[in-house]
Amino acid sequence: MLSNYSWDAKLVLALAAFALYYGEFWLLAQIYSSNQLAKSMAILKQLPSIMEHTSGPLKSRFDTLNNLIKAMMGVTRCIVEFKDMPSNYITQDAPEFSSAMAHIPIAVYWTIRSVVACATQITTLTGMGHEFVISTSEAWELSTLAHKLKNIHESLKKLMATCYRHIEEKKSHEAYQMLVKLFDSIHIDNMKVLKALIYAKDDLQPLVDGSTKRRVNVEVLRRKNVLLLISDLDISQEELSILEQIYNESRLHLTRQESHYEVVWIPIVDHFIHWDDPTQKKFETLQSSMPWYTVYHPTLIDRAVIRYVKDVWHFKNKPILVVLDPQGRVVSPNALHMMWIWGSNAFPFTSLREEALWKEETWRLELLVDGIDPLVLDWIKEGKYIFLYGGDDVEWVKKFTTAARSVANTARIPLEMVYVGKSTKREQVRRIMAALAVEKLGHFWQDLTMVWFFWTRLESMLLSKIQLGRADDHHDPMVPQIKKLLSYDRDGGWALLSKGSQVLVNGHGTTVLPTLLEYDIWKEQVPIKGFDDSFIDHHQKIHGVAHPCCRFEFSAYSGRIPASMTCPECHRYMEKFTTFCCCHDDHVPGSLF
């Protein structure tokens, strides 16, 4: 009768027939005491006597039947689910689906065989009543069938999981292509883009307002400049602290043009990561500390969006700030560098604005310390000589500060010094600061967040140049100077001397310290050339002999790593190496190196 039907139909029809038979048995069992007709039928089938023994001798028999029936239902549901899989996402010739289909006939056979075995038991039971005693071989057959079907079910579930992964990949790829197309299209506002990125449905409010901590709709961002702060859950407190300071300052001037933007935190957490209570608490702590809009929960972010953010916007594990204009167009793939360097003055945070700001800049001390230390800015206004220096060797620092102070006193020049630490090795930096304080060797930034911000701004300058394709621009005098500072930071001490705003020397510790120690050699040139030129000339002589190496280390997790880099000293292309490094230091996610 079933030979012309498909395998899933054979199974469903057989199970339906058994359900009718089995259902009649239990329906009568449930209502025979209250329905006269049912009572008469039940007596004919000996149900009263059977039901009296369901808690005694017949209990194990019904338990065995129920276990087998549950196994039959599990396999059947699985097979029907295979049949209902969307053909537009998984075809019959797909390896995952064809492999599953090969197992279906065997699964159907054993399930129908189990149906027959169960029906036989019910028939025998109603025919012989409670006196019927199931034989050992029959009991063993039912248990064996149940065990076999459970194994088949587990195997089918594994195959089904493989198929669903295939379907999810297809759906995700389709959603990804839709995102690509969406960003290539022109829109009247930013709603389509923002909904696609944050949450496409209208069944819940996907954002939390940082100021009120209430949930809101994406509509609050309509036709606004939106800055998408994209990060994982390891964003550093330093980054959040400085970003919050810049954000709050912009909110104080709501009438100013540069305050007309909104920030939205997009937390990126891969869906395969186990979400436990500590992770939830970590997320909630971060979310509650942010004054801007945040996505209600990371699970709202679709897999396709995570892929797009990684593939197109080059997000790895370091925060980026993607800027969308009121029409939803990407006007900067990462404005975080602009934000660190110029704050809200970089509004509207477009690549064109970034270009314009660089054209206004010159290589001067304010570029390095602006927004960090007002005292240094006062020194600049007073036209003092200023040594900005760093490193992690306490002995070198002591020798340098002593020599610099000695030269300043002898040459009778107003000299100030400020220690800016190092981009890594925080504990070593703390020890040097403690030594400077005890021996009163000079000024330093007690707040390590300011040290972090100094190096982050400097690194952002290079990353900004890389993003604009200007990392090797020989016509830009700032690029080699920025590179030198970042390179010197990787190896020993360094110092930068300025007179007011004007930077005189930017040198490695192996050239600046000898220049100071050899003051007696070049001091006779000071009355003739002046202190500035005399210092520069002697430093250049030492530099010509020392030739300190230059090197840069970009983290593999950085977003945009240049394919090549020219040396800031000799302008030749630098060699590339793969380096594994551990500084045994506090991890600072915002750091480039």
Side-chain angles (χ1 to χ4, degrees), residues 233 269 272-277 279-281 283 297-299:
L233 301 186
V269 180
F272 59 80
I273 291 177
H274 176 61
W275 192 269
D276 52 17
D277 289 340
T279 308
Q280 177 67 22
K281 187 175 180 181
F283 166 73
H297 199 273
T299 52

Side-chain angles (χ1 to χ4, degrees), residues 442-509:
H443 181 61
F444 59 89
W445 298 326
Q446 294 184 3
D447 185 355
L448 283 177
T449 300
M450 293 299 102
V451 175
W452 172 88
F453 190 41
F454 171 83
W455 288 107
T456 297
R457 287 184 77 249
L458 193 61
E459 293 157 2
S460 295
M461 292 175 197
L462 179 59
L463 288 173
S464 173
K465 293 290 186 180
I466 290 171
Q467 187 166 281
L468 294 171
R470 303 288 175 82
D472 292 326
D473 189 347
H474 301 305
H475 302 292
D476 186 345
M478 287 180 284
V479 173
Q481 298 300 331
I482 293 167
K483 284 183 177 180
K484 283 180 184 179
L485 278 178
L486 291 172
S487 176
Y488 296 157
D489 175 58
R490 303 306 300 160
D491 187 18
W494 60 271
L496 181 146
L497 176 64
S498 75
K499 184 179 181 181
S501 290
Q502 183 187 4
V503 177
L504 303 177
V505 167
N506 178 14
H508 191 267

Side-chain angles (χ1 to χ4, degrees), residues 390-406:
D392 60 350
D393 185 340
V394 66
E395 292 304 318
W396 182 91
V397 167
K398 288 180 180 180
K399 287 179 183 178
F400 169 77
T401 51
T402 303
R405 189 65 64 197
S406 174

